[in-house]
Structure formats: C-alpha cells, structure tokens
Amino acid sequence: MTYFPGIDSIVYEGPESDNPLAFRFYDRNRLIAGKPLSEHFKFACAYWHTFCNSGGDPFGAGTRSFPWSSDGDAISNGKSKMDAAFEFMSKLGLDYFCFHDYDLIDEGATLVESEHRLMAMTDHARDLMHSTGIKVLWGTANLFSHPRYMNGAATNPDFQVVSRAAAQVKLALDATMRLDGENYVFWGGREGYMSLLNTDMKRELAHLATFLHKAKDYARNQGFQGTFFIEPKPCEPSKHQYDYDAATVIGFLQEYGLDKDFKLNIEVNHATLSGHTFQHELQVASNAGMLGSIDANRGDNQNGWDTDQFPNNLYEITEAMLVLLRSGGLQGGGVNFDAKVRRNSTDPVDLFHAHVGGMDLFARGLIAADRVLQSSPLEAMRSERYASFDAGKGAAFERGELSLSELHAHAISFGEPAQRSGHQELYENILNRQL
Ligand code: XUL
Ligand code: CO
C-alpha cells in the first residue's frame, strides 16, 4: 500500500535544480567541520504535526484528510498511520522522529488499556524501524491535552492528578526505551499558572523537581542512558509557564540538582515568544554546557503566538548555526521539525515541500556559518575585541587575581580608555556576504 503515490525518494540535486521535490543544499554526506550534514542535524519529523494535525484552529474545523484509514479500531488506525509515517520519512530521508505517547495511538479509557495500546504500537514501530533504519530522537508524554491536566500535571495542586501524570510518564518512558529512543523530552505546557491568586508557586516548583527526579531515577534504573531535555516556553497554554526561557530552566535545574541529567531543547518560536532571539537561547544553553536539541520552526513577526511555521529565515538560521558550530554541536539531540503546514496547505505534497524547505534551510545556514568561521575575518575580529584580557593585567583579572583596589590603581595609572567601535554593521555585512 502506498500512501503518497507519485512522490519518489527525495534526493540532493544541487543549487541549480528546478525540481521542487529535491534538495538544493542538504547533501547528507557533505562534510562540514569534519562531520556529515546528516550527523550535524539528525533531522526528525514531529509525529504530532505531520500525522495527527488535520488543520483545525479555534475558528474552524480541520481541512486536511489523511491518506490512511481511520475507520478501524484504535490499533489498526494507529498502525496504518504509522505505515504512512514511515513511508513519508523514508521518502524524505528523515533519519529520526519524535512523538508524544498519544500521537502514536489514541489514549485508552484506562491506564491499563493505554499501556496495552502503546505496547502494540511500539511492537509495530520496532518492525518498521528495523526495516527502514529510522530511529527515535525523543519521546515524550502529552500532559496537556486531557482535561484532567487543566490545572497542571506535575504541578497540579491535586496529588491524585500528579500521580496520574507520573503514571503516564512511566508509560511514555517505557515506550521510548522500547524504541531505543535517544532522548526524552519534558515540555511543561500546563506546568505554570493562570493566576497567582490561587497558586503556591514555591510548592509547585518543588513538586516539579521531585517529579523530574523520580522520572529520571526510574529511567536510569531501567538502563536508559539518553539525555532528558526540558523545552522552555514562556506561556501558551498557561498564562505563565515555569520553564519560561533557557536561563530560567538552567537556574531551576541547578537549584534542584538536575543539571547532570537534563539539558535543553530550544525551540525557535518559543525563544521569540519569550522576547529573545533563537540564537540567544542557543547561546545561553551552550554557555551552561546544556545545548541538547532543537525544535525547528518559526513565528510570525506580526503575531504574538506560537504559529509553528516551517523555518525559512536564512539570516536567523545562519546566526543560530554559528552558535551551534562554536559549541561543537548538539549534545545528544538533533533538529526536530516542530512545525505545521498552514491550514490551507491541504495537499499531502505540501508536507513534503515544507520539510524539504526546512532541511535545505538548515543545511544552507550551516554551510554559510562554516564559511563565516573558516574564511571570513569575523572570528578574528571578535577575539581581537577581547585581546586586552589575553595578557598582563587583563589576564590577571580573568583569573580573579585583582582586587577592587588594584583595579582602581590600574585605572588611575592607565587614564581614560580610548574609544573602540563595536563595528556592528561590518559584522552584519560579513555575515550577509556568506549567505
Ligand atoms: C508546544 C511544543 C510541544 C513540544 C513537545 O509548543 O513545542 O510540541 O515540543 O511536547
Ligand atoms: Co516543541
């Protein structure tokens, strides 16, 4: 059975190709900084957007009909969706996918039934993974859609809901481990509050930390060696989400002793919603040695919500790839297209166009960033700005050896520092020239 007839395997044809279903930049074996592009990115498909989202929005129904059957029971529906998913990923050359537990199959009426369903789906996935070579970048639990989580999951004021969420995470971890998932994600969509008036924030944060510790301990005891990622986002659906941005999450992980096992999954549109750039969030994570993974997408400059559009901004992605190359790559994760085609993009081929564009964009950005680092003066100019710390008193300051009084004495002997331009426009031009 073919779900995407008329679409062949998508291959690299080079920048001159006029075939819309070909890569112009993503040559998976091309070496950049000593590593093939496919390894830099570990591109992943987001199961939820691509195979579950029929295009509904708060104002209207779904617009897309899927080419697989949904007339059978939950397990047979889940299997045909999964067969289509693997055909899609194979044709695109996507090496990985990411999933929520109930993307794979509808939640059952009870936890026991859900576990049974997840076992059936992971059996099926194992077969397909074996025959295609496609792997799991990360799994996660959907702790935000069901009404029981309306007041939060791990941070719910009711212990019974917290424990119900923990049970669900156990099943999602089991499913991820059965599929040899390389990582596991926590995105806390409802871990936050709608009003501080009814919220004990300190207590909720402590509950969240305990919850994460117990999940981590369980998985480690089962032999899971992957990384746990927290995915920051400032709001939506909560008015305020506790995992607001990278800096907030890093502080939380350090405060509660989770920083050895957890790293960050940085999403473009979440970064911009929190008032930062994507590259800023990557840099903050990288500074802490916690740049784990990326959720690729983009927002809309005129909208203040999470539009999850496919990425297409070369300048933004090239700046991001500079951060990535400087920090030696992602720690354990990859680039997951947490993005959806627009509601009026209703043909199956639109899903292919979207991913081809995203993969090509990241490849192009990485190649350009590598050129900036290797054959432009940018790195040397940036280092030169800090040259006064490389020797003498500046180096002593960096080592923490100068007291405030010694700094005072130095300033008096040196006199007024000369003005030194930051040359921002020149840096911008250098980057632009490599695009
Ligand atoms: C929501 C979001 C999620 C997470 C996984 O904004 O990004 O899809 O990536 O739960
Ligand atoms: Co995401």
Side-chain angles (χ1 to χ4, degrees), residues 163-275:
S163 131
R164 184 65 176 70
Q168 195 182 321
V169 167
K170 178 186 177 295
L171 301 192
L173 279 165
D174 288 342
T176 305
M177 290 186 285
R178 284 196 89 212
L179 299 180
D180 298 319
E182 296 186 9
N183 308 279
Y184 186 87
V185 160
F186 290 90
W187 169 64
R190 299 201 190 267
E191 313 296 16
Y193 61 81
M194 304 308 282
S195 165
L196 261 189
L197 286 174
N198 65 4
T199 302
D200 184 339
M201 190 203 286
K202 190 171 163 63
R203 207 164 175 185
E204 290 196 1
L205 283 167
H207 293 171
L208 178 58
T210 302
F211 189 99
L212 295 174
H213 267 292
K214 298 304 170 192
K216 180 255 301 169
D217 291 346
Y218 171 76
R220 291 287 183 241
N221 285 335
Q222 305 295 309
F224 179 68
Q225 297 186 346
T227 306
F228 300 93
F229 297 138
I230 304 272
E231 185 178 319
K233 185 176 180 181
C235 57
E236 196 195 347
S238 309
K239 167 202 150 54
H240 178 98
Q241 195 176 310
Y242 292 138
D243 300 327
Y244 195 91
D245 62 1
T248 310
V249 171
I250 291 165
F252 170 83
L253 293 174
Q254 289 171 346
E255 179 178 354
Y256 289 98
L258 290 158
D259 49 318
K260 297 287 170 284
D261 295 274
F262 284 74
K263 298 196 188 315
L264 273 62
N265 178 32
I266 301 293
E267 177 160 331
V268 186
N269 205 169
H270 296 181
T272 50
L273 281 178
S274 66

Side-chain angles (χ1 to χ4, degrees), residues 48 138 231 265 267 270 295 336 338:
W48 52 102
W138 49 260
E231 185 178 319
N265 178 32
E267 177 160 331
H270 296 181
D295 267 10
N336 166 47
D338 193 354

